[in-house]
Amino acid sequence: MTRAPVADLAPGNHGLEGPVAHYLARVLRLRAGSAFVAFDPARGLEADAHVVSVEGDVVTVQIGPLRAGKTPSERPLTWIQGFAKADKCDAVVRDATELGATRIVVAATKRSVVKLDEARGAARANRWSRIAREAARQCGRSEAPRVDPPTTWHEALAQIDAATARFCLDENAHLPLAPHLFEALARSAPLAFACGPEGGLDEAEVAAARSAGWTVASLGPLTLRTETVAAAVLGAVRIWSP
Amino acid sequence: MTRAPVADLAPGNHGLEGPVAHYLARVLRLRAGSAFVAFDPARGLEADAHVVSVEGDVVTVQIGPLRAGKTPSERPLTWIQGFAKADKCDAVVRDATELGATRIVVAATKRSVVKLDEARGAARANRWSRIAREAARQCGRSEAPRVDPPTTWHEALAQIDAATARFCLDENAHLPLAPHLFEALARSAPLAFACGPEGGLDEAEVAAARSAGWTVASLGPLTLRTETVAAAVLGAVRIWSP
């Protein structure tokens, strides 16, 4: 079901104007009779709603009874992070938790500098789970994301089903992320992103993602640090579909 | 001028389908005859373009001669950061530089824990300028953002003109950021954001922003660390309008 943010949500008929009306009518393409879920991000409330009419710049909507809203974490949102050195993965786990990830997977890639055997991998996963629980508590999330034991890049990709909108972020990609991500957000699809370590992904890893059905997309010409990619992408997801 | 990302940009007539076509026709509301600037974020190229026709799910566009694109930093993008303790401001400067800010202002607020006199303020500004130059070099930006000497919250707000789309981020706000930011991005407006320190803004500071014409908006019910807010918001801006 399409979800749209409506400030100061209250039951009854309301004529909406300005950016919210544009968002409903033009971006989400709702028409008279279209049903959607209106949510009030500031108060954590939502309601079933439908569009009564679209007339010029005014969208009249009928809002049903209010109920407690879903938390941002309820839509499946997986972040696969190429294993990066030092405390970069700690920062990614913290940011991804604040920004609504429900599952975090650290994956060994060809350019991951540190190698993890099973025992060290388990110890790291425990550490990242602790960081995720602490970050969830601090930001007010009721549940922390699940942190999987470290695995391989190929295995991590294979674990995400085809019903999920899957994006592999690669600075050499030609395809811009925005239109494809927007389409996935508009239909409230489960989301998964995969991002390489600080050295990036090698060609075989990108090819593996592509042949497994992932959309390989770029964030633009500038080179981001790997720990910035998570915050930027999950920030965009958070802001455009809280 | 409206800007739209088109992968593998090449001169001539092209029938676009899928998410890109949806983005042009539905999100940006382009019609037959609409002029726009098509840019290829992966190659840093752009071209004048116009829509030839919109038929069903196919948008046919005519792309003119290619030229070197604007860098992401050319649209004015100001980040005003409430002065936060420890190395949080360093992190904000680094993230904001990578994500395309053109100007960074650190502002003293009521809940800023550390106070800066003029000498210490100048020393900090030098440090942040150095960090911005280094981050610009690492991410491939030709110019680093300007880092202003620290100032007061009110002065920082007053320095941004009314032609700029101005957003004050406040976790207690009712208004969701997305529709308003989207509208500003669609018309390629200069942007400015203001964000409090780790303790947030006090009511008088939010009221000052509102009465100065800033849109006071929230990122949702979860409490973000102040250094995450910059990466999340500027990430959304970067992704939705590279």
Side-chain angles (χ1 to χ4, degrees), chain A:
Chain A
M1 177 64 76
T2 300
R3 295 172 63 82
V6 176
D8 298 322
L9 195 64
N13 275 32
H14 302 274
L16 305 176
E17 298 180 72
V20 174
H22 174 257
Y23 191 72
L24 291 170
R26 306 302 176 181
V27 180
L28 298 176
R29 305 167 65 181
L30 302 183
R31 299 286 171 261
S34 296
F36 66 105
V37 173
F39 66 91
D40 182 333
R43 293 185 297 154
L45 297 173
E46 65 176 42
D48 292 322
H50 69 268
V51 175
V52 175
S53 65
V54 180
E55 285 167 7
D57 293 333
V58 181
V59 177
T60 301
V61 298
Q62 181 167 54
I63 308 285
L66 303 190
R67 59 178 181 255
K70 293 187 177 183
T71 64
S73 61
E74 285 189 26
R75 189 238 313 261
L77 176 53
T78 301
W79 187 266
I80 298 174
Q81 175 66 47
F83 183 45
K85 62 186 171 182
D87 52 0
K88 289 176 195 291
C89 285
D90 295 4
V92 168
V93 168
R94 203 173 284 119
D95 290 347
T97 301
E98 284 185 32
L99 293 169
T102 58
R103 183 177 171 202
I104 299 168
V105 184
V106 175
T109 68
K110 202 157 168 187
R111 297 190 189 141
S112 294
V113 174
V114 184
K115 304 298 172 196
L116 290 176
D117 58 26
E118 204 170 322
R120 287 177 65 196
R124 285 293 185 115
N126 280 340
R127 174 183 167 78
W128 293 322
S129 292
R130 232 178 16 249
I131 290 173
R133 284 195 303 272
E134 178 64 13
R137 194 187 60 71
Q138 288 185 352
C139 74
R141 269 181 73 166
S142 50
E143 277 189 62
R146 166 179 150 196
V147 181
D148 286 8
T151 183
T152 64
W153 179 253
H154 292 78
E155 183 55 33
L157 296 177
Q159 285 171 2
I160 310 298
D161 66 43
T164 300
R166 296 162 294 165
F167 298 95
C168 173
L169 305 163
D170 173 35
E171 62 177 329
N172 298 314
H174 282 205
L175 197 70
L177 177 63
H180 298 264
L181 177 55
F182 200 93
E183 184 273 333
L185 291 172
R187 60 185 169 88
S188 300
L191 294 172
F193 298 94
C195 168
E198 59 271 46
L201 297 166
D202 83 352
E203 280 180 31
E205 287 162 342
V206 174
R210 191 175 279 116
S211 72
W214 291 60
T215 300
V216 179
S218 154
L219 300 185
L222 300 183
T223 303
L224 300 179
R225 287 169 303 148
T226 185
E227 64 271 36
T228 311
V229 174
V233 170
L234 294 173
V237 169
R238 157 88 172 253
I239 287 169
W240 296 109
S241 68

